[in-house]
Amino acid sequence: MKKPIATQSVQDYLKHIYELTEHGSSASTGALAQRLNVKPASVTGMLRKLAAEDPPLVEYQKHQGVMLTADGRRAALEVIRHHRLIEAWLVQSLGYSWDEVHEEAERLEHVISEEFERRIDAALGHPTRDPHGEIIPGADLSMPEDESMPLSALRPGRSATVLRVLARDPNLLRHLDSLGLTPGARIEALDYSPFDNNLTIRVGEKMHVLGLNITTKVFVRFDGESHKD
Amino acid sequence: MKKPIATQSVQDYLKHIYELTEHGSSASTGALAQRLNVKPASVTGMLRKLAAEDPPLVEYQKHQGVMLTADGRRAALEVIRHHRLIEAWLVQSLGYSWDEVHEEAERLEHVISEEFERRIDAALGHPTRDPHGEIIPGADLSMPEDESMPLSALRPGRSATVLRVLARDPNLLRHLDSLGLTPGARIEALDYSPFDNNLTIRVGEKMHVLGLNITTKVFVRFDGESHKD
DNA sequence: AACTTTTTTTAGTCTTAACTAAAATTTGAC
DNA sequence: GTCAAATTTTAGTTAAGACTAAAAAAAGTT
Ligand SMILES: [Mn+2]
Ligand SMILES: [Mn+2]
Ligand SMILES: [Mn+2]
Ligand SMILES: [Mn+2]
């Protein structure tokens, strides 16, 4: 019932495959190579290996991209849970800011014990989201559906609440913070310009005109929509 | 001015060489192999490599054992500082007990950033000793002389204060804890039996008869001795 | 449909850090 | 001082995971 070991490298491959495929499609060799900072030839080699593991971790057919098996998905979610709990805990317990935590978590995620995981989870009160608003998989590795919509879909007259931001770049994160676009922030859409896709919003007292570069990276829940189906 | 990288393996070798040689002598291939859980042949290979690094990390002559160079010593102390700060912090901040922290620290020590080191150091109030009483090297990697004496040297009529325990085995650590032999504990020697080296001591209300297995692993400061020379 | 470009895979190398087995050296007993 | 035992080193493999260069397959273009 216990899986033996997965190297750091294997864990990183699985994590990135998960992130590329969470919404159905399969991940390409090239896309993985780019995310992992590795050459495509190296990715092919690893994918063959992952598909040949005893319980196979991926389903892989030449030239067709990969998808995670149930086992691979569980292993990926285990790493993602580590990553996000660590981020939350670096912020809450050591005073890191949200633009500093990713890099640190990237290394710690591979070496903490399950005991450590349990302890920070408990110390944080079993949080459901990390500092960027990403959902933290449960201890049972369950992953609730993400119901957020990109801010780019918000139109004048409607308002919304920021759920999460999709960004790792520290400069972008600091910029979003300076705009007040952090999880929980209330937003009102004031104007939309169809030609350049600029959206004018109000956050608290402040007004901002945001381009797609930003509005596609901030995910919100529209106000006045049912939470459940 | 920045050293590039040292792999986890290199860091572990340096750390164990430091621990074997802190009091002058040089470390043998076999002793290192045992501590590192590796075959002697592997140790020889690594020692050659460490001696050949650009600033050499060890001084090594065939069949003569190794000693750290100044550079190697600094790298070792960096890892040891990480290890001991992490142990302290696992205990104080996450409620670990002193028998659980070593294993976790063993893995974390290699991956935390200098920023992380600074933050836990500050959060703990710049501690000078880890949960086992081991001295934590300073941020400048200075290492104060350890002035503790083994409990086995205490004789009836004298009393002492526990400074540190030399143990990693969780069972031994729990046993020491149950005896009250933790850093700060006051001890009074009541009786000594020269033939079996048994020492009878009082700790608080309790009396214990301890053999060499324990008395050589608990280090104390004798009461009524000057701290400075 | 044929050809060009892009993507992916194969084949072969390299590095790190282990291992085993055999050779060499040192230690220690007499 | 000689010789056996213990320790250490050399030599040659192995495994993981990266790389480059060349071959093959897929996708796009006219
Ligand atoms: Mn990682
Ligand atoms: Mn995050
Ligand atoms: Mn270690
Ligand atoms: Mn310790």
Side-chain angles (χ1 to χ4, degrees):
Chain A
M1 220 120 218
K2 264 279 155 65
K3 47 193 115 86
I5 31 147
T7 65
Q8 164 158 348
S9 206
V10 167
Q11 289 181 12
D12 278 338
Y13 273 88
L14 294 174
K15 185 176 73 167
H16 282 104
I17 294 168
Y18 179 89
E19 286 171 2
L20 282 171
T21 61
E22 42 187 340
H23 295 306
S25 41
S26 77
S28 73
T29 302
L32 276 168
Q34 220 181 321
R35 278 174 157 265
L36 290 158
N37 265 294
V38 140
K39 302 295 172 194
S42 307
V43 173
T44 300
M46 180 60 93
L47 294 186
R48 288 169 49 102
K49 212 191 81 173
L50 296 178
E53 293 276 295
D54 188 353
L57 298 171
V58 302
E59 235 170 280
Y60 166 62
Q61 318 225 81
K62 290 182 190 177
H63 300 278
Q64 301 297 127
V66 262
M67 278 178 57
L68 294 172
T69 61
D71 289 296
R73 185 163 187 277
R74 256 191 306 276
L77 284 171
E78 185 67 58
V79 180
I80 290 170
R81 176 166 161 83
H82 287 184
H83 184 102
R84 294 180 183 173
L85 277 175
I86 289 166
E87 284 190 346
W89 174 77
L90 289 173
V91 167
Q92 296 227 346
S93 168
L94 287 176
Y96 274 77
S97 56
W98 77 341
D99 56 296
E100 298 173 311
V101 292
H102 183 77
E103 196 198 346
E104 195 86 43
E106 201 61 34
R107 282 172 283 109
L108 290 167
E109 65 188 4
H110 306 292
V111 304
I112 68 171
S113 66
E114 293 302 288
E115 177 65 23
F116 187 99
E117 174 193 317
R118 274 189 292 274
R119 294 210 185 225
I120 60 178
D121 185 38
L124 292 168
H126 309 286
T128 60
R129 298 198 176 244
D130 82 2
H132 311 102
E134 305 269 16
I135 297 173
I136 301 174
D140 58 356
L141 303 184
S142 62
M143 191 60 172
E145 198 52 47
D146 172 40
E147 61 193 31
S148 66
M149 304 284 294
L151 178 53
S152 57
L154 192 69
R155 286 296 169 269
R158 304 216 52 183
S159 57
T161 304
V162 175
L163 283 185
R164 66 185 173 98
V165 302
L166 189 60
R168 307 127 200 88
D169 174 34
N171 288 314
L172 175 54
L173 285 167
R174 278 193 292 273
H175 182 57
L176 291 174
D177 189 53
S178 77
L179 296 176
L181 293 176
T182 54
R186 308 285 330 279
I187 292 177
E188 189 187 344
L190 303 178
D191 192 31
Y192 173 67
S193 157
F195 302 105
D196 51 12
N197 291 296
N198 274 352
L199 185 71
T200 304
I201 65 170
R202 189 180 54 74
V203 185
E205 304 293 284
K206 294 185 291 187
M207 240 95 117
H208 307 295
V209 183
L210 308 175
L212 279 181
N213 258 352
I214 287 178
T215 55
T216 56
K217 281 169 185 147
V218 175
F219 288 75
V220 301
R221 176 176 51 222
F222 292 165
D223 287 350
E225 305 231 324
S226 63
H227 294 195
K228 294 216 56 162
D229 185 29
Chain B
M1 220 120 217
K2 265 279 157 65
K3 48 193 113 85
I5 29 149
T7 65
Q8 164 159 348
S9 207
V10 167
Q11 288 180 12
D12 278 339
Y13 273 88
L14 295 174
K15 186 176 71 168
H16 286 287
I17 294 168
Y18 179 90
E19 286 171 0
L20 282 171
T21 61
E22 45 188 339
H23 295 305
S25 43
S26 77
S28 73
T29 302
L32 277 169
Q34 220 181 320
R35 279 173 156 265
L36 290 159
N37 265 294
V38 141
K39 302 296 170 195
S42 307
V43 173
T44 301
M46 180 60 94
L47 295 185
R48 289 169 48 103
K49 212 191 81 173
L50 296 178
E53 293 274 296
D54 189 352
L57 298 172
V58 302
E59 236 170 280
Y60 166 62
Q61 317 225 80
K62 290 182 192 177
H63 297 98
Q64 301 298 127
V66 263
M67 278 179 55
L68 294 172
T69 61
D71 287 297
R73 184 164 187 276
R74 255 191 305 277
L77 284 170
E78 184 68 58
V79 181
I80 290 169
R81 177 167 161 82
H82 286 184
H83 184 102
R84 295 180 182 172
L85 277 176
I86 289 166
E87 283 190 346
W89 174 77
L90 289 173
V91 166
Q92 296 229 343
S93 168
L94 287 177
Y96 274 78
S97 56
W98 77 341
D99 56 295
E100 299 172 311
V101 292
H102 182 78
E103 195 200 346
E104 194 86 45
E106 201 61 34
R107 282 172 283 109
L108 288 167
E109 66 188 4
H110 307 292
V111 304
I112 68 172
S113 66
E114 293 302 287
E115 177 65 23
F116 186 99
E117 174 193 318
R118 274 189 291 275
R119 293 209 185 226
I120 61 178
D121 184 39
L124 293 168
H126 309 287
T128 61
R129 299 198 175 244
D130 82 2
H132 311 102
E134 306 268 17
I135 298 173
I136 300 174
D140 58 355
L141 302 184
S142 61
M143 191 58 170
E145 199 52 48
D146 171 39
E147 62 194 30
S148 66
M149 305 284 293
L151 178 52
S152 57
L154 193 67
R155 287 295 169 270
R158 304 216 53 182
S159 57
T161 304
V162 176
L163 283 185
R164 67 184 172 99
V165 302
L166 190 59
R168 308 127 199 87
D169 174 33
N171 288 315
L172 175 54
L173 285 167
R174 278 193 292 271
H175 182 58
L176 291 174
D177 190 53
S178 77
L179 296 176
L181 293 175
T182 53
R186 307 286 330 280
I187 294 177
E188 189 187 343
L190 302 179
D191 191 31
Y192 173 68
S193 159
F195 302 105
D196 51 12
N197 292 295
N198 273 353
L199 185 70
T200 306
I201 64 169
R202 189 179 56 73
V203 185
E205 304 293 284
K206 294 185 292 187
M207 240 93 117
H208 307 294
V209 183
L210 308 175
L212 278 181
N213 257 352
I214 286 178
T215 55
T216 55
K217 281 169 186 148
V218 175
F219 288 76
V220 302
R221 177 176 49 223
F222 293 165
D223 286 349
E225 306 231 322
S226 63
H227 292 196
K228 294 215 55 162
D229 186 30

